């Protein structure tokens, strides 16, 4: 599958989705690192019955793909997160529903099976909102809560700023509240700047749902997440949207893996577009891989059918590359040697 990038008629929407923080160094580096990696295939490994199944603390799924959390799917498709949920279900790929989803979680869960429902959570200024999302995640049987960390303030994104981007009036973050509202109208939904590890500890005590932290880049933070009782981490610089010049996940996952010593699963995101990107990320140490912008691009291109076709295709591609690299299972990929071409 060739690298692709959606061009939008609405240039403000394009700036919001495609843009990154600052000079977009981190955004570009995420993709450039993937391009620079080369794998050393193994031979004579009997790959006839190769499969891409994954089974860890968050359940058994047909592939290592996860649909990552992105806000406001109604911006790119009329049925919004409900379309995404259908594609998740059809492909047995977990879907991390954003705190800023533009469809009600009740509607999403009517489509999405519990085995694929993971809930993303920000730590909000108003603890009542944080608690409400946790309690809804329990009510709707989420298999995981993904707490996004490392975003106390929004990154400065010049493309968005210059385009004059704002969320259109008709699109709301639902929060499962009685009165859906746009984020800009409500200070309560601002993300807390005073959050600490104690807040993570509190969340782990609030619920028995496994808690994962998304946005870990430093091995010491990864270790802290293990010590505090998190069930997993997502190594991520949030697609280069937050802090430009932050390290890319692929440049730190090796050190993180070493310090975590297999205690918890390690997932990764940033720049993943193709099956080849997925296999390379796993070879570098990821147990599962999240898709971000690629999901929004496909939804925008052709709704459920384009996204479904893409997910199906990327899964086929993963399997094809596994066979070419002599990997009968996903765990065999982690044994491949990786070389960086400079
Ligand atoms: C338009 C957009 C909205 C996003 N919204 C969220 C969000 O609500 N919560 C979150 O944790 N991450 C959010 N992210 C970050 C993604 O989860 C993910 O980390 C990032 O997109 C990965 O990089 P990629 O897009 O290059 O694959 C968003 C990203 C984009 C592009």
């Amino acid at each position: 599958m060739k690298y692709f990038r959606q061009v939008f008629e609405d240039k403000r929407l394009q700036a919001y989705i495609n843009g990154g923080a600052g000079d977009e160094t981190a955004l570009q580096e995420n993709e450039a690192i993937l391009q620079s990696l080369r794998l050393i295939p193994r031979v004579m490994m009997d790959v006839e019955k190769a499969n891409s199944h994954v089974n860890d603390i968050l359940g058994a799924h047909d592939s290592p793909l996860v649909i990552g959390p992105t806000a406001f799917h109604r911006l790119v498709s009329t049925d919004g997160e409900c379309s995404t949920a259908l594609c998740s279900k059809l492909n047995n790929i977990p879907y991390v529903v954003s705190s800023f989803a533009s469809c009600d979680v009740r509607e999403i869960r009517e489509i999405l099976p519990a085995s694929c429902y993971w809930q993303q959570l920000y730590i909000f200024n108003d603890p009542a909102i944080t608690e409400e999302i946790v309690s809804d995640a329990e009510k709707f049987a989420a298999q995981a809560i993904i707490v996004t960390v490392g975003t106390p303030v929004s990154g400065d994104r010049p493309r968005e700023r210059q385009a004059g981007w704002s969320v259109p009036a008709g699109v709301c973050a639902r929060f499962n509240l009685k009165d859906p509202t746009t984020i800009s109208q409500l200070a309560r939904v601002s993300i807390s700047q005073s959050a600490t590890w104690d807040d993570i500890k509190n969340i782990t005590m609030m619920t028995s749902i496994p808690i994962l932290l998304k946005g870990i880049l430093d091995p010491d933070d990864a270790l802290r997440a293990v010590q505090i009782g998190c069930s997993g981490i997502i190594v991520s610089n949030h697609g280069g949207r937050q802090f430009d010049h932050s390290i890319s996940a692929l440049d730190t996952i090796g050190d993180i893996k070493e310090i975590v010593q297999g205690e918890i699963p390690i997932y990764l995101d940033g720049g993943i577009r193709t099956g080849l990107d997925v296999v390379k990320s796993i070879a570098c140490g990821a147990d599962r891989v999240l898709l971000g912008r690629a999901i929004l691009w496909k939804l925008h291109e052709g709704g459920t059918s384009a996204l479904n076709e893409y997910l199906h295709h990327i899964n086929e591609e993963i399997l094809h590359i596994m066979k070419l690299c002599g990997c009968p299972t996903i765990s065999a990929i982690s044994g491949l040697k990786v070389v960086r071409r400079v």
Side-chain angles (χ1 to χ4, degrees), residues 239-313:
R241 289 167 57 81
Q242 289 303 122
F243 171 48
D244 199 17
H245 290 251
S246 64
I247 194 169
S248 285
L250 282 161
D251 269 338
T252 185
I253 193 166
D255 293 337
I256 289 181
K257 204 162 171 76
E258 204 174 308
I259 207 163
V260 166
Q261 297 262 317
E263 290 280 325
I264 53 173
I266 300 172
Y267 305 160
L268 172 144
D269 77 5
I272 311 291
R273 317 282 180 245
T274 68
L276 182 57
D277 294 337
V278 175
V279 175
K280 286 178 173 179
S281 302
I282 296 171
C284 289
D287 294 305
R288 301 197 198 212
V289 173
L290 283 73
L291 298 163
R293 290 179 180 85
I295 299 293
L296 300 173
W297 291 336
K298 287 296 163 186
L299 274 178
H300 183 256
E301 181 187 303
T304 309
S305 81
L307 179 55
N308 192 41
E309 195 183 313
Y310 169 65
L311 293 174
H312 179 74
H313 185 74

Side-chain angles (χ1 to χ4, degrees), residues 16-19 27 30-31 68-72 98-101 120-122 146 148 151 214 236-241 269-273 290-294 296-297:
Y16 169 65
I17 292 177
N18 292 4
L27 170 65
N30 286 349
E31 288 182 357
T70 48
F72 305 122
S98 170
S99 285
F100 292 108
Q120 184 260 331
L121 175 72
Y122 285 110
I146 313 298
T148 298
T151 61
K214 169 178 180 276
S236 168
N237 64 12
H238 308 293
R241 289 167 57 81
D269 77 5
I272 311 291
R273 317 282 180 245
L290 283 73
L291 298 163
R293 290 179 180 85
L296 300 173
W297 291 336

Side-chain angles (χ1 to χ4, degrees), residues 16-62:
Y16 169 65
I17 292 177
N18 292 4
D23 295 335
E24 304 192 342
T25 310
L27 170 65
Q28 285 159 20
E29 243 172 46
N30 286 349
E31 288 182 357
I33 292 169
L34 280 162
Q35 281 289 11
S36 73
L37 298 177
R38 300 289 178 271
L39 301 176
I40 306 185
R42 302 304 302 265
V43 297
M44 309 312 288
M45 296 298 292
D46 186 358
V47 290
E48 192 182 357
K49 296 199 176 80
N51 75 77
S52 57
H53 299 170
V54 171
N55 193 355
D56 62 19
I57 184 167
L58 296 191
H61 297 96
D62 294 346

